[in-house]
Amino acid sequence: MPVIALVDDDRNILTSVSIVLEAEGYQTQSYTDSIAALQEIQDNPPDMAIFDIKMPRMDGMELLRCLRQRTDLPVIFLTSLNDEIDELFGLKMGADDFIRKPFSPRLLVERVKAVLRRVVLRVGSASLIAMNKTIERGKLVMDPDRYACTWDRKPVRLTVTESLILQALVQRPGIIKSRNALTDAAYDDQVYVDDRTIDTTPSRPSKLFMALAIVLRKPEPVVFVNRPG
């Protein structure tokens, strides 16, 4: 459930916006003091924020500027101003949208949904892809981007080629991989590879194959076969 921070020195606005958003299933955190809000948002980041522009002590623009030094938190501004220059300035600083007061509850909700959708596409999907790239098979965990491998939370030292071969094998346990398939996984298209290179690549085959044997739930060692079947 997305958490939305609301910052406005007008308690009536905070209350009305909270009611509208919570009716749609969002959680809200309300602040009348922008400086206190800045500290809290930095310590406990919400999923997005809605700021008023004109506030005492620290206005919404300054609050956004401070946040942008540390976070890409999506921000919608509430404003009673009809000033294109303010909007342009806010957008250049990293604001995601503006809503002019007074506004309808339906407009507010749709703007919030639109911003969150963009965040999912821009940030959330990237995080999801990064998370999905991590390969976990039992006690074996691999990070393809770093060519890192751990077994039972202990690092396993593999060369880049060994790591790529292991990734290709564990991504689809139980599927026989041909020598050509492993070659394609481990080497660049423009690199010439002798047919026997894959057979002799693992410099520590017992360590590599022991991991595979447990991953594939086979008590016997994993071996290369000459042909399917």
Side-chain angles (χ1 to χ4, degrees):
M1 182 180 298
V3 177
I4 302 175
L6 310 175
V7 187
D8 196 313
D9 59 316
D10 187 330
R11 292 184 182 274
N12 293 328
I13 294 290
L14 288 178
T15 300
S16 61
V17 172
S18 295
I19 291 173
V20 169
L21 294 178
E22 289 175 3
E24 293 292 323
Y26 301 106
Q27 291 183 356
T28 62
Q29 300 169 340
S30 298
Y31 308 93
T32 56
D33 184 277
S34 52
I35 294 179
L38 173 63
Q39 186 63 51
E40 186 62 28
I41 290 171
Q42 289 177 335
D43 292 343
N44 300 289
D47 296 291
M48 72 171 294
I50 299 176
F51 299 159
D52 186 24
I53 292 182
K54 298 297 181 181
M55 293 185 289
R57 301 187 68 192
M58 178 188 291
D59 66 23
M61 294 290 186
E62 180 63 15
L63 177 57
L64 176 62
R65 188 191 67 79
C66 292
L67 283 174
R68 282 293 174 263
Q69 296 175 6
R70 297 181 55 179
T71 178
D72 290 326
L73 176 74
V75 171
I76 294 177
F77 275 126
L78 298 180
T79 178
S80 56
L81 303 176
N82 188 11
D83 193 332
E84 183 177 317
I85 294 178
D86 272 352
E87 291 195 20
L88 289 173
F89 183 63
L91 291 171
K92 286 182 178 180
M93 289 181 62
D96 293 88
D97 205 349
F98 280 79
I99 301 178
R100 290 194 180 95
K101 303 175 186 177
F103 51 84
S104 71
R106 181 178 298 179
L107 175 64
L108 172 66
V109 169
E110 291 306 317
R111 292 287 183 89
V112 167
K113 288 180 178 179
V115 169
L116 289 175
R117 280 196 301 269
R118 291 199 297 268
V119 171
V120 169
L121 292 174
R122 183 183 67 204
V123 179
S125 61
S127 299
L128 183 60
I129 290 171
M131 179 179 66
N132 287 341
K133 280 185 178 179
T134 300
I135 303 170
E136 297 186 23
R137 298 289 185 270
K139 296 181 180 180
L140 179 70
V141 178
M142 302 192 71
D143 183 345
D145 289 336
R146 296 170 51 227
Y147 304 107
C149 176
T150 62
W151 176 261
D152 196 15
R153 300 184 180 181
K154 297 177 182 178
V156 178
R157 291 186 147 212
L158 299 175
T159 66
V160 171
T161 301
E162 289 170 344
S163 179
L164 291 170
I165 292 173
L166 183 55
Q167 288 173 34
L169 290 169
V170 302
Q171 281 175 337
R172 299 188 67 191
I175 302 299
I176 296 175
K177 290 279 188 179
S178 69
R179 182 188 289 115
N180 287 340
L182 293 177
T183 300
D184 291 342
Y187 294 93
D188 186 87
D189 291 340
Q190 300 183 17
V191 175
Y192 171 76
V193 183
D194 183 85
D195 286 344
R196 305 301 298 174
T197 300
I198 289 294
D199 299 356
T200 58
T201 286
S203 58
R204 293 166 296 284
S206 60
K207 195 176 294 184
L208 189 62
F209 292 162
M210 185 183 300
L212 283 170
I214 298 175
V215 168
L216 300 176
R217 298 180 180 177
K218 293 175 182 257
E220 67 275 16
V222 177
V223 299
F224 288 117
V225 296
N226 291 328
R227 62 182 64 85

